[in-house]
Amino acid sequence: MAIRKGEYTDILLRRGAISLDQLSEAEQMAREQKGLNTADCLVRLGYATGEEVMRAMSEHHGLDYVDLSEVSIPAEIIELIPESVARENVILPLAEDEDTLTVIVSDPMDIETIEKLRFILNRRVETALAPRDLILENINRYYGQIEGESADSMLQEFTDTAIDFTETEQDTAKESEAVDENSAPIVRLVHMMITEAVQLRASDIHVEPFEDRVRIRYRIDGVLVERDTPPRRLHGALLSRIKILAKMDIAERRRPQDGRIKVSIGEKELDLRVSVIPTNHGQSVVMRILDKENIKVGIRQLGMSEENFQKFTNLIRRPNGIILVTGPTGSGKTTTLYAALNALNRPDRKIITAEDPVEYYLPGINQCEVRHNIGLDFARIIRSMLRQAPNIILVGEMRDRETASMGIQASLTGHLVFSTLHTNDAPSAITRMVDLGVPNYLVASSVIGVMAQRLIRVICSRCKTAHQIPEAVLHDAGFPPDMLASPKFMRGKGCSYCQKSGYRGRLAIIEMMPVSSKIRELIFQSVAADELRRAAIRQGMKTLYMDGLLKVANGASTLEEIYRVAKRSEQDQLVA
């Protein structure tokens, strides 16, 4: 493929930010998916950051690039463009010079929007560039400050005034789902709580009642962060509104309930899985935010080392066998499995999944949901799906002997089977299968690979700085000498982009154990998990802890993060 002239992508290629193959893949994706351009696809595929793409565009078009984390825009400039115009067109005013207004945009070729602004504002408009997600983030920040519509001010309004919420339980059921400034206060509060959680990239929202207050927390990058503490009197109204949205029984206060909420935040269509349980101070609510964008990831973006990436791609190309992904709840197992299915999803393959419940809907894949109330469990779905002549099967979880046996039978009859188990490491998955009652010879002949994983937070790219770790700490951590040859230890100072945490985003640390002939022989002999682990390490398996140290040495994360999710084992000490 020849390099074309006159494109911002030429600048990215020249700088080595992307390769020709990556550019071709992004262009192909842009052709297949409506509403996405090549720049969006480069960022979504993880081949370039939004900042790199925007800097290349600004250089190509001769425009200024604005680093919004380092710029403070005065309130009088923000007021020059109404919030509705800023949100509709995803723009932000930057500076004023006589009759010229400079606005920040994400697409320099969107002439229609620029002309519309000139007409609305009746003045000359100059443009500067910044990534779209940062413009949206700053629209929320600046306009929230001006108009006083932030969640904090909303809660302050409720706290300072004796608003009567007793009528809300009946009235909210009759309201339309549209939320505006005329909606009931509690309706706006719940809507803003969900909106704020989505903007902060939270994975779930926790509403917990206590004796004198209600605590609202968001789980951001796997860590719970307390956001607000509304007064206790708001709990009943909050709970009623959430139950109405989730189509639950408002009157039921003694039993746990589950429901779903479909909501639109900006351009995003989100699913919220809602769980309500009774506690000693009232009912506690957790809303799990399911964002379809989160599962549109490739295997490359999971954070695997090159060695683990090669092992995993070799495993998923096998025609039959079982591949197990293990780890605790919230360790990214579903995302990993969906990334594998996305890589294998082609018109010449039939893929069927059995899930409890179906969290994300994948185009081109047949997904079945477990329904215990009518006896539709994993084993029954697997038994039926084999009559559908699939090539690839995903079993959400191997919970019992019947499910595990059916999965093994499917793999032995020529199917590639993916599934999950809740174990602490990769070798323990083998012994867990035997504990479930599956004969060890069947496990040995069907399982072709086990992958254990955890999620660690990534150091914020905006405030990342070099960091020196003391020799004593390095020695205690057990870094192998080859990792310390040219380390790039980093840490985040904390900035507005990462909410002062020093971390933004997550990646996986992985323990990959392909089942070799030696390990298969040990499984036949029913050896303990520790002996399996030692044999796997001798054959080159990097443990979760050692893979974490590699991420630290490469400057992706910190030792504190590794200590939070993984522990050093006796075998790791022998390796070091």
Side-chain angles (χ1 to χ4, degrees):
M1 175 180 167
I3 297 177
R4 294 150 305 161
K5 303 297 180 188
E7 293 275 348
Y8 71 90
T9 51
D10 296 345
I11 296 169
L12 290 170
L13 290 166
R14 196 165 60 244
R15 289 176 179 167
I18 60 171
S19 68
L20 280 171
D21 289 342
Q22 290 170 341
L23 175 57
S24 298
E25 187 180 342
E27 288 175 336
Q28 177 69 24
M29 182 177 174
R31 283 193 293 270
E32 292 172 355
Q33 298 196 22
K34 292 180 180 177
L36 290 181
N37 56 34
T38 305
D40 296 331
C41 295
L42 283 170
V43 174
R44 189 165 289 188
L45 290 166
Y47 294 148
T49 63
E51 183 177 344
E52 286 173 332
V53 171
M54 282 297 135
R55 284 189 185 277
M57 274 191 183
S58 61
E59 184 179 327
H60 175 65
H61 292 282
L63 299 172
D64 290 332
Y65 174 81
V66 181
D67 187 344
L68 285 166
S69 64
E70 296 179 358
V71 171
S72 180
I73 305 172
E76 58 269 19
I77 298 294
I78 294 292
E79 288 169 350
L80 294 173
I81 293 183
E83 180 179 0
S84 58
V85 175
R87 288 192 184 280
E88 182 186 345
N89 300 287
V90 193
I91 58 164
L92 199 64
L94 176 65
E96 182 186 28
D97 182 17
E98 295 180 358
D99 67 333
T100 302
L101 180 64
T102 302
V103 297
I104 305 168
V105 300
S106 61
D107 184 0
M109 300 305 292
D110 189 0
I111 307 299
E112 186 181 335
T113 296
I114 296 165
E115 289 300 325
K116 184 166 65 173
L117 284 174
R118 285 178 181 145
F119 177 76
I120 292 170
L121 303 171
N122 194 25
R123 62 198 304 174
R124 282 187 65 211
V125 173
E126 298 289 340
T127 55
L129 295 183
R132 181 185 173 89
D133 60 332
L134 293 184
I135 296 174
L136 286 168
E137 188 178 302
N138 280 271
I139 287 172
N140 295 326
R141 179 158 69 101
Y142 285 114
Y143 285 99
Q145 288 174 354
I146 287 173
E147 300 190 7
E149 285 296 317
S150 67
D152 288 340
S153 63
M154 195 76 175
L155 285 173
Q156 194 65 40
E157 176 192 337
F158 293 154
T159 308
D160 294 345
T161 57
I163 297 174
D164 183 11
F165 289 99
T166 53
E167 61 179 8
T168 310
E169 294 191 17
Q170 290 78 28
D171 292 347
T172 49
K174 301 171 189 173
E175 291 166 1
S176 67
E177 294 304 314
V179 180
D180 56 32
E181 64 274 9
N182 300 317
S183 301
I186 201 70
V187 174
R188 283 186 286 150
L189 177 62
V190 171
H191 182 74
M192 282 196 298
M193 180 172 70
I194 296 171
T195 303
E196 185 187 42
V198 171
Q199 288 164 356
L200 293 174
R201 302 173 301 104
S203 58
D204 36 78
I205 304 167
H206 297 247
V207 181
E208 303 158 315
F210 294 99
E211 192 172 359
D212 57 347
R213 67 188 177 113
V214 178
R215 181 169 69 177
I216 296 176
R217 295 191 291 176
Y218 303 153
R219 190 179 295 279
I220 303 170
D221 291 334
V223 177
L224 279 168
V225 177
E226 187 166 333
R227 293 297 296 174
D228 300 305
T229 53
R232 171 72 195 192
R233 64 190 174 84
L234 292 191
H235 180 246
L238 268 173
L239 190 67
S240 294
R241 177 59 184 164
I242 292 167
K243 282 184 172 182
I244 287 165
L245 289 172
K247 296 179 174 57
M248 293 179 181
D249 182 358
I250 295 179
E252 179 56 72
R253 292 184 172 88
R254 296 172 301 168
R255 293 191 183 94
Q257 291 188 73
D258 293 307
R260 278 187 114 127
I261 299 174
K262 282 192 180 294
V263 66
S264 296
I265 304 294
E267 297 177 359
K268 286 187 174 182
E269 291 283 334
L270 299 172
D271 252 2
L272 275 67
R273 268 195 11 226
V274 185
S275 170
V276 177
I277 63 164
T279 68
N280 55 344
H281 290 297
Q283 295 172 87
S284 174
V285 182
V286 175
M287 292 182 276
R288 177 89 182 273
I289 301 170
L290 304 176
D291 185 354
K292 294 170 190 169
E293 298 296 316
N294 292 343
I295 56 110
K296 291 181 181 175
V297 296
I299 299 171
R300 278 279 184 197
Q301 293 155 265
L302 297 174
M304 294 184 185
S305 64
E306 190 59 36
E307 182 185 350
N308 282 337
F309 175 76
Q310 293 299 335
K311 287 179 181 176
F312 189 63
T313 50
N314 287 339
L315 284 175
I316 66 174
R317 286 185 189 134
R318 300 272 286 273
N320 62 285
I322 294 181
I323 298 171
L324 295 172
V325 180
T326 79
T329 303
S331 60
K333 300 188 296 295
T334 302
T335 303
T336 297
L337 290 173
Y338 280 178
L341 292 185
N342 280 330
L344 296 169
N345 188 13
R346 297 204 318 241
D348 61 337
R349 291 182 176 137
K350 185 174 178 73
I351 303 174
I352 304 182
T353 73
E355 301 171 65
D356 183 18
V358 173
E359 291 187 3
Y360 302 102
Y361 297 99
L362 299 169
I365 292 175
N366 301 275
Q367 294 172 274
C368 305
E369 185 159 320
V370 169
R371 293 182 182 174
H372 296 290
N373 57 334
I374 58 170
L376 189 64
D377 55 17
F378 280 121
R380 189 164 177 182
I381 292 175
I382 298 168
R383 196 176 295 116
S384 300
M385 69 167 57
L386 290 177
R387 301 190 194 110
Q388 299 265 320
N391 302 101
I392 298 161
I393 292 170
L394 167 65
V395 181
E397 187 184 343
M398 291 196 171
R399 296 176 179 169
D400 51 45
R401 179 181 177 179
E402 190 178 8
T403 306
S405 297
M406 290 300 301
I408 283 174
Q409 291 303 322
S411 74
L412 293 175
T413 51
H415 302 86
L416 183 63
V417 180
F418 292 93
S419 191
T420 69
L421 275 175
H422 289 285
T423 62
N424 289 328
D425 58 14
S428 301
I430 302 294
T431 52
R432 174 65 57 84
M433 292 276 282
V434 175
D435 288 345
L436 287 174
V438 180
N440 57 349
Y441 64 87
L442 283 179
V443 176
S445 55
S446 60
V447 177
I448 58 173
V450 185
M451 187 173 97
Q453 69 177 63
R454 302 286 188 280
L455 292 177
I456 56 170
R457 291 183 292 174
V458 178
I459 298 170
C460 174
S461 59
R462 296 290 176 83
C463 59
K464 180 186 281 193
T465 56
H467 175 52
Q468 189 63 43
I469 299 179
E471 286 289 333
V473 176
L474 291 175
H475 180 266
D476 290 344
F479 279 91
D482 59 320
M483 280 190 199
L484 297 176
S486 56
K488 302 173 187 172
F489 298 124
M490 297 282 183
R491 70 173 175 184
K493 290 188 295 185
C495 63
S496 59
Y497 187 60
C498 59
Q499 280 83 47
K500 307 296 180 187
S501 67
Y503 300 97
R504 187 179 170 100
R506 289 189 289 177
L507 54 76
I509 56 172
I510 284 164
E511 184 174 285
M512 182 77 66
M513 188 184 82
V515 177
S516 63
S517 55
K518 173 64 178 171
I519 290 174
R520 189 167 285 113
E521 189 182 318
L522 291 173
I523 298 171
F524 270 120
Q525 296 168 12
S526 297
V527 300
D530 275 352
E531 195 168 336
L532 273 178
R533 187 180 179 84
R534 276 192 290 272
I537 290 172
R538 281 196 295 270
Q539 294 189 358
M541 180 183 84
K542 286 216 167 33
T543 62
L544 286 166
Y545 182 78
M546 296 307 287
D547 192 46
L549 292 187
L550 183 62
K551 302 285 194 297
V552 174
N554 290 337
S557 194
T558 61
L559 272 175
E560 291 77 16
E561 274 298 290
I562 309 306
Y563 291 150
R564 185 173 67 85
V565 300
K567 67 178 188 294
R568 191 179 179 192
S569 66
E570 293 175 11
Q571 289 89 345
D572 291 325
Q573 293 171 20
L574 293 173
V575 171

